[in-house]
Amino acid sequence: MDNFISRYFFNPFLSTAMSSKIVFKHPLATRWMHWLNFPILTIMIWSGTLIYWANDVYALQIGNFVLFKFFPEVVYKWFNIPYRLGEGMAYHFVFMWAFMLNGFLYACYTLISGEWRDLIPQKGALRESWQVVLHDLGVRKQLPPQSKYNAAQRVSYSAIIVMGFGSVLTGFAIYKPVQLGWLTALCGGYEVARAVHFILTIGYVLFFFVHLIQVIRAGWNNFRSMVAGFEIVKEKEVTDI
């Protein structure tokens, strides 16, 4: 039955010599929270940029020489960002609750279901992550052994969870610096908390682009697993019609 489904429904351009099976990969809860987090985080970044415009103090520079300013005026004009501070604050403070709730539910589900075992980096994860990077760049031919996720995925996905927790803490620290003075002080003060919050946001953007490129490289089968929950695993060579 699996062969019939995969041959005639999922890919009609494969010859009858194909032998494959359906392998379950992602549970429904993981898929729902993954796809919910994408628009939520996108709105959070967009609204945060509307807020940041009012006091855009950060730049990469050496001494007085500015290498790159966050952000050039052309970026603000391109995305129609100027003079939308109030709008940005309204969206940001509403969707932060959705971001927190989705993250909390994901963390609880991961712990209760045991999915955390697939995410926690194992011994030698940094070394194997570098090997994965070299493989993806075409420098190394062989991938290190992997299970559901490779070492680079384990490190990056675990880092995203930690980053989300950091964003919540620093976000509240700069949202209510007087009422939550103890938290602001714990984060190193208002300026440090704001800088960390901004750096984490840049980290999300970089992660998104790398993640998107990796999804494209992995192909349709990998993307389908995050939509339908399963992959079609080939058991022997497939010949196109």
Side-chain angles (χ1 to χ4, degrees):
M1 182 63 179
D2 288 352
N3 288 342
F4 175 83
I5 293 174
S6 59
R7 181 182 302 131
Y8 295 105
F9 181 72
F10 294 106
N11 197 334
F13 301 105
L14 298 179
S15 71
T16 55
M18 182 185 70
S19 178
S20 59
K21 62 180 179 179
I22 296 176
V23 176
F24 177 77
K25 189 171 183 180
H26 299 297
L28 180 62
T30 298
R31 285 179 277 138
W32 266 100
M33 285 180 278
H34 171 273
W35 289 113
L36 280 174
N37 201 52
F38 174 72
I40 291 172
L41 190 56
T42 299
I43 294 174
M44 288 293 290
I45 294 172
W46 166 74
S47 59
T49 307
L50 299 183
I51 298 172
Y52 173 72
W53 163 83
N55 186 23
D56 56 345
V57 296
Y58 301 126
L60 294 176
Q61 61 186 75
I62 301 176
N64 294 325
F65 181 72
V66 177
L67 299 174
F68 180 81
K69 176 177 171 55
F70 295 99
F71 295 96
E73 192 64 28
V74 64
V75 174
Y76 291 136
K77 291 181 178 179
W78 190 17
F79 290 103
N80 189 30
I81 290 173
Y83 306 105
R84 301 174 68 184
L85 173 61
E87 181 184 356
M89 293 175 68
Y91 276 103
H92 208 68
F93 299 153
V94 168
F95 278 88
M96 73 176 185
W97 298 109
F99 177 75
M100 289 172 56
L101 178 60
N102 193 53
F104 175 75
L105 292 176
Y106 177 74
C108 290
Y109 172 77
T110 302
L111 291 173
I112 295 172
S113 66
E115 288 281 313
W116 62 270
R117 296 184 183 90
D118 295 320
L119 293 172
I120 297 297
Q122 299 174 331
K123 184 178 179 180
L126 293 179
R127 174 177 52 81
E128 290 186 8
S129 295
W130 180 242
Q131 293 173 352
V132 172
V133 171
L134 293 178
H135 173 270
D136 291 345
L137 293 175
V139 177
R140 180 185 171 92
K141 292 184 177 180
Q142 188 176 3
L143 268 174
Q146 65 182 70
S147 52
K148 184 175 181 178
Y149 301 113
N150 61 46
Q153 289 174 315
R154 285 173 176 261
V155 171
S156 59
Y157 295 161
S158 297
I160 283 294
I161 295 175
V162 175
M163 288 168 62
F165 185 66
S167 291
V168 170
L169 291 182
T170 55
F172 273 108
I174 60 180
Y175 176 41
K176 298 289 185 180
V178 176
Q179 296 90 332
L180 298 175
W182 61 271
L183 179 58
T184 306
L186 186 65
C187 292
Y190 182 88
E191 295 299 332
V192 173
R194 185 177 185 238
V196 172
H197 197 73
F198 182 83
I199 292 171
L200 289 173
T201 303
I202 297 299
Y204 293 132
V205 175
L206 294 176
F207 172 83
F208 170 76
F209 280 111
V210 173
H211 186 59
L212 183 61
I213 292 171
Q214 291 293 71
V215 169
I216 294 173
R217 287 185 72 257
W220 165 248
N221 201 33
N222 180 71
F223 178 79
R224 174 174 49 204
S225 70
M226 188 51 76
V227 176
F230 58 85
E231 289 183 336
I232 302 297
V233 178
K234 302 173 184 178
E235 296 182 320
K236 60 182 179 181
E237 285 296 320
V238 179
T239 304
D240 292 337
I241 295 176

